[in-house]
Amino acid sequence: PVGEGTHAYDTTGATVDGPADCDSNMGEDVWYSYTPSANGTATIGTCEGGTSGQDTVLIVYDGAACPAAGDPCLASNDDSCGSPAFASELSMAVTAGNSYLIQVGAWNGGAVAGDMDISLATSNDDCCGATAVGEGTHAYDSTGSTPDGVNCDSNMSDDIWFSYTASCNGTATIGTCEG
């Protein structure tokens, strides 16, 4: 299991065990289960921190079950980072709480090692796109966001927005002290 951040991968000693319907060049592979912390657009890539000359393939499937031949992929990429590394990167819409299976492999065999980066751009960067929430814990990440709206605190910079609806009358406590 992985979340947003940087995760090491190494296909040394791996075998190909997933379908090749989305990219017939998928070689030895390793798998990750990704559950996004919020709705938004996830960018998954091997462009940074790989071995010299790495050539990767990325495929993403619905995480409900391990994919079999004929199962559709949600996204795939080969070589979007360019020469000489031929590493891969893709972006796709994701839903908080859903699981996605990420297949990272070497192009046409061999071994690759490096870092897979997962970033998440949320749609609640602007006040009009505020994410509706109730009581409970809600993940947040202002990476890539921009400041907007009226700031009552001169220290406010990049922000994201939530729209809170109380379930009953009372006093609400809102904070970022935990986690």
Side-chain angles (χ1 to χ4, degrees):
V2 295
E4 290 85 32
T6 301
H7 311 282
Y9 67 88
D10 187 347
T11 65
T12 303
T15 59
V16 181
D17 70 340
D21 299 349
C22 294
D23 193 319
S24 61
N25 293 311
M26 177 61 76
E28 287 76 1
D29 58 19
V30 292
W31 290 82
Y32 298 87
S33 177
Y34 167 56
T35 303
S37 62
N39 295 341
T41 301
T43 300
I44 303 166
T46 60
C47 298
E48 304 294 326
T51 57
S52 177
Q54 77 173 356
D55 196 346
T56 60
V57 178
L58 292 173
I59 303 176
V60 179
Y61 296 92
D62 183 305
C66 289
D71 287 349
C73 63
L74 300 175
S76 67
N77 185 263
D78 181 16
D79 294 349
S80 67
C81 301
S83 180
F86 301 110
S88 303
E89 184 175 81
L90 59 86
S91 293
M92 59 181 276
V94 294
T95 302
N98 286 1
S99 292
Y100 301 89
L101 291 171
I102 303 170
Q103 183 182 20
V104 181
W107 182 83
N108 270 346
V112 290
D115 291 329
M116 173 182 64
D117 295 310
I118 302 174
S119 62
L120 182 63
T122 58
S123 59
N124 60 342
D125 182 29
D126 297 318
C127 180
C128 62
T131 299
V133 297
E135 285 82 18
T137 301
H138 306 283
Y140 65 93
D141 183 353
S142 65
T143 303
S145 67
T146 57
D148 69 317
V150 177
N151 290 326
C152 295
D153 184 335
S154 63
N155 294 313
M156 178 67 74
S157 62
D158 300 341
D159 56 18
I160 55 175
W161 292 82
F162 293 91
S163 174
Y164 168 68
T165 302
S167 62
C168 62
N169 293 336
T171 302
T173 301
I174 300 170
T176 59
C177 299
E178 305 295 320

